[in-house]
Amino acid sequence: MAVTLDTLRKMKQAGERIAALTAYDFSFARLLDAAAVDLVLVGDSLGNVIQGHATTVPVTVDEMVYHTRCVARGLQRPLLVADLPFLSYQESPQQALHSAGRLMKEGFAHMVKLEGGAAMAPAVRFLVERGVPVCGHLGLTPQFVHQLGGYKVQGRGEAAAQQLHTDALTLQAAGAALLVLEAIPRALATQVTQALDIPTIGIGAGAACDGQVLVLQDALGMNPTPARFVRNFLLGHDDLGAAIAAYVQAVREGSFPGPEHGYD
Ligand code: KIV
């Protein structure tokens, strides 16, 4: 049966972990579908892993639409989420609606993801009230890389942790139905996950999140300098499908992420 937002909400309530991965093309999408991944994200990380850019900043809406459309053709079961790329939604709620509309109508995404905290709440509300499901993204938000001064763990220290907690509650109140938490201390991710009704999907945020996501190329050992929250699931497996199935199983049973993949 197709995964919906209702499925993910019920999984959170039942304590069943959500397995998510990124994909950018039809062939990998089909493998993820076969491995029963719950959520597939067409991340703007395609700027890094497909296009070879140093950051996600140059990615355009046209490129996101193209890759989302390719992925959509390979999926039957998972929820399909697509990233709104940098400066395709920050200008105004109307701009966000226009860009999101393209990802849904031309790319066949079920939901869009955007980065940022309380400042994004008006756009989130505007989208949700018009039928566009929204996933938030807090912590290490790669579109902010130049402001953050690099890819660094976020939410450390009391003020930053409090700010992230407040942002999470504000996004939920604005109607966000999912929240990605990236590269934050596991204790903070645990608190936020417990405080929210909506599911959290962690990447470098510890094992207490309701689900986990990795960039597919990272999970398949293709990154020569992986972050510490990455595990190479191809090791010990002799085909891609088995590696992806191993990731799904490890997330579901709670053996990934392990203590070595998190931050304090
Ligand atoms: O762009 C992306 O792939 C993402 C994930 C890392 C969460 O935002």
Side-chain angles (χ1 to χ4, degrees):
M1 223 163 55
V3 174
T4 64
L5 288 171
D6 200 39
T7 315
L8 300 182
R9 263 190 303 270
K10 286 184 176 140
M11 287 175 78
K12 175 176 177 116
Q13 283 159 10
E16 289 168 26
R17 293 185 181 87
I18 299 161
L21 279 170
T22 69
Y24 316 96
D25 67 32
F26 168 78
S27 298
F28 273 112
R30 213 166 35 169
L31 285 178
L32 267 51
D33 192 75
V37 168
D38 301 305
L39 183 157
V40 173
L41 170 66
V42 184
D44 59 355
S45 51
L46 69 84
N48 306 94
V49 297
I50 302 295
Q51 300 173 332
H53 291 298
T55 74
T56 60
V57 168
V59 176
T60 66
V61 174
D62 282 346
E63 290 162 351
M64 289 304 306
V65 167
Y66 171 77
H67 286 279
T68 305
R69 222 176 149 83
C70 294
V71 168
R73 292 189 197 111
L75 300 183
Q76 289 182 3
R77 180 180 172 275
L79 190 83
L80 175 57
V81 184
D83 266 337
L84 284 165
F86 185 54
L87 299 190
S88 73
Y89 59 97
Q90 291 92 337
E91 200 176 300
S92 65
Q94 287 77 8
Q95 187 206 22
L97 186 66
H98 179 78
S99 303
R102 291 203 55 206
L103 293 175
M104 292 181 76
K105 288 166 70 79
E106 299 173 47
F108 307 110
H110 303 135
M111 175 179 228
V112 300
K113 177 165 82 59
L114 53 77
E115 299 184 8
M120 284 301 123
V124 172
R125 180 165 289 114
F126 193 79
L127 293 179
V128 171
E129 285 175 350
R130 285 156 183 80
V132 178
V134 178
C135 174
H137 184 158
L138 294 175
L140 172 47
T141 43
Q143 293 176 12
F144 288 68
V145 59
H146 298 304
Q147 205 158 42
L148 299 176
Y151 298 104
K152 299 173 183 169
V153 178
Q154 301 296 309
R156 280 193 168 135
E158 208 168 309
Q162 187 53 53
Q163 182 63 56
L164 192 143
H165 198 111
T166 304
D167 282 340
L169 291 172
T170 306
L171 290 171
Q172 173 176 269
L178 279 179
L179 182 63
V180 168
L181 296 173
E182 179 164 355
I184 63 171
R186 61 189 117 216
L188 175 58
T190 305
Q191 277 171 23
V192 170
T193 297
Q194 287 170 357
L196 293 179
D197 297 322
I198 61 173
T200 60
I201 310 289
I203 171 165
C209 294
D210 300 305
Q212 299 293 328
V213 64
L214 281 179
V215 168
L216 181 62
Q217 279 74 356
D218 289 351
L220 296 177
M222 296 167 71
N223 184 342
T225 54
R228 72 184 277 179
F229 54 75
V230 168
R231 182 159 126 199
N232 178 358
F233 286 89
L234 198 58
L235 288 177
H237 298 282
D238 51 18
D239 71 73
L240 294 169
I244 294 163
Y247 168 80
V248 172
Q249 190 187 340
V251 170
R252 289 216 205 293
E253 71 189 18
S255 60
F256 177 80
E260 73 277 22
H261 301 116
Y263 301 100
D264 292 316

